[in-house]
Amino acid sequence: MKRLGVNIDHVATLRNARGELHPDPLFAAKYVKKIGADSITIHLREDRRHIKDIDAKKICSIKGLLVNLEISTNPKIIKIALKINPDFVCIVPENRKEITTEGGLNLIKNKLKLKKIIKRFKKKRIRTSLFINPSLNDIKIAKNLDIDCVEIHTGYFSNLIKKKRNYSKEFDRIKKCSLMANQSGIEVHAGHGLDYKSTKILSKINQIKEFNIGHFIIGESIFFGLSKVIKNFKKIIK
Ligand code: PXP
């Protein structure tokens, strides 16, 4: 059974555009769970452009809600994450000027730093994931880092589909990485840029256990409503 994680960062983006309280990400987190999401994802970015510390703290304290907190390797962010104690963390690269997370982590460059961070989260029994590019070498490094999960960056794959270009090579890359990770005892997740079509195609890969989707869900909900859109995704990944 594949799971759907819903990223609600852009509820906060919309709220922040007015500088007031509506729409409330806390309400979104509870609502999204009620209508079928298996977990919610929030990204506490260093520039706090959407989710703020108080949102993360309140959302992580909702009983019965599984929260996946995306974080960079910034020591201040790590300290906050350890304090608010989410169920899951996903470590992502972060670059101030990017519009969204542009690629996976550089595991070679950050191996030692990541090893120390992973140890701290595992000690608190927080499921820990690394956001990586679909690269077999990165899966090997991830295995050495004793990670619970990897989330494969599907941005490039999603763009090929949106531009109606040939995606078979990228699909094979994602599939091979998923197989190798699974054989190494690492749970496989997928995320970034996904819509109905790209999710449907990737759902054919049995080893992918979780999809984390944000921008498309929130955007599509303007027209069709969150409930309908989440139900559609649940059907697609079933
Ligand atoms: N997974 C990770 C690790 C991300 O950084 C993001 C973007 O915040 C997503 C999934 C969701 O991407 P999108 O909003 O394009 O669906």
Side-chain angles (χ1 to χ4, degrees):
M1 192 72 172
K2 296 182 192 298
R3 303 183 302 265
L4 176 68
V6 176
N7 181 315
I8 58 164
D9 287 344
H10 296 307
V11 174
T13 305
L14 199 56
R15 176 200 58 188
N16 298 350
R18 265 291 162 99
E20 293 177 10
L21 300 175
H22 188 270
D24 181 7
L26 189 72
F27 181 83
K30 291 180 191 164
Y31 184 68
V32 156
K33 173 173 189 261
K34 196 170 130 196
I35 56 183
D38 297 294
S39 58
I40 68 120
T41 292
I42 47 176
H43 185 174
L44 187 67
R45 292 189 77 105
E46 289 165 29
D47 61 9
R48 310 298 199 274
R49 67 176 71 159
H50 34 60
I51 291 293
K52 313 278 183 202
D53 299 53
I54 187 70
D55 300 320
K57 194 174 163 201
K58 283 185 182 168
I59 288 169
C60 287
S61 69
I62 300 172
K63 292 222 161 53
L65 175 78
L66 292 173
V67 182
N68 176 35
L69 183 68
E70 286 178 12
I71 47 168
S72 71
T73 55
N74 179 312
K76 285 187 193 150
I77 297 283
I78 300 292
K79 203 170 157 195
I80 297 170
L82 286 162
K83 199 166 166 206
I84 62 178
N85 206 25
D87 304 279
F88 316 137
V89 291
C90 179
I91 305 171
V92 302
E94 213 174 289
N95 163 4
R96 277 294 153 84
K97 291 203 181 89
E98 68 192 359
I99 292 173
T100 181
T101 320
E102 281 167 354
L105 289 158
N106 183 335
L107 296 191
I108 299 174
K109 192 171 147 206
N110 295 298
K111 209 151 81 179
L112 283 178
K113 188 169 27 169
L114 287 168
K115 200 168 190 144
K116 284 185 197 150
I117 296 172
I118 293 164
K119 239 187 189 168
R120 294 176 77 189
F121 285 112
K122 288 195 84 165
K123 210 169 161 190
K124 288 200 80 178
R125 296 180 185 278
I126 294 172
R127 187 194 80 177
T128 308
S129 179
L130 296 176
F131 193 41
I132 61 165
N133 294 316
S135 134
L136 291 174
N137 199 37
D138 280 355
I139 302 287
K140 278 186 210 150
I141 301 172
K143 164 101 183 118
N144 283 329
L145 289 171
D146 193 26
I147 196 76
D148 299 315
C149 320
V150 287
E151 180 164 325
I152 297 179
H153 194 299
T154 54
Y156 182 60
F157 176 78
S158 300
N159 274 335
L160 290 174
I161 293 188
K162 282 172 200 162
K163 290 177 184 160
K164 298 192 173 26
R165 292 192 19 214
N166 189 327
Y167 58 80
S168 59
K169 263 196 196 153
E170 186 66 5
F171 179 84
D172 286 348
R173 210 170 276 144
I174 295 173
K175 190 172 177 177
K176 278 188 189 139
C177 286
S178 303
L179 278 167
M180 191 188 193
N182 185 254
Q183 280 163 1
S184 311
I186 301 172
E187 188 176 279
V188 183
H189 306 159
H192 211 279
L194 294 170
D195 58 14
Y196 290 139
K197 195 171 175 191
S198 46
T199 304
K200 190 170 181 181
I201 297 167
L202 288 176
S203 291
K204 292 183 194 134
I205 302 176
N206 289 334
Q207 289 75 19
I208 297 178
K209 299 296 177 207
E210 182 176 305
F211 287 96
N212 287 309
I213 308 173
H215 189 268
F216 182 82
I217 290 183
I218 304 301
E220 191 75 349
S221 295
I222 294 171
F223 308 110
F224 304 105
L226 263 178
S227 176
K228 177 84 186 139
V229 177
I230 288 177
K231 284 191 178 104
N232 287 344
F233 269 109
K234 291 284 285 188
K235 256 189 236 157
I236 287 171
I237 67 171
K238 201 164 71 181

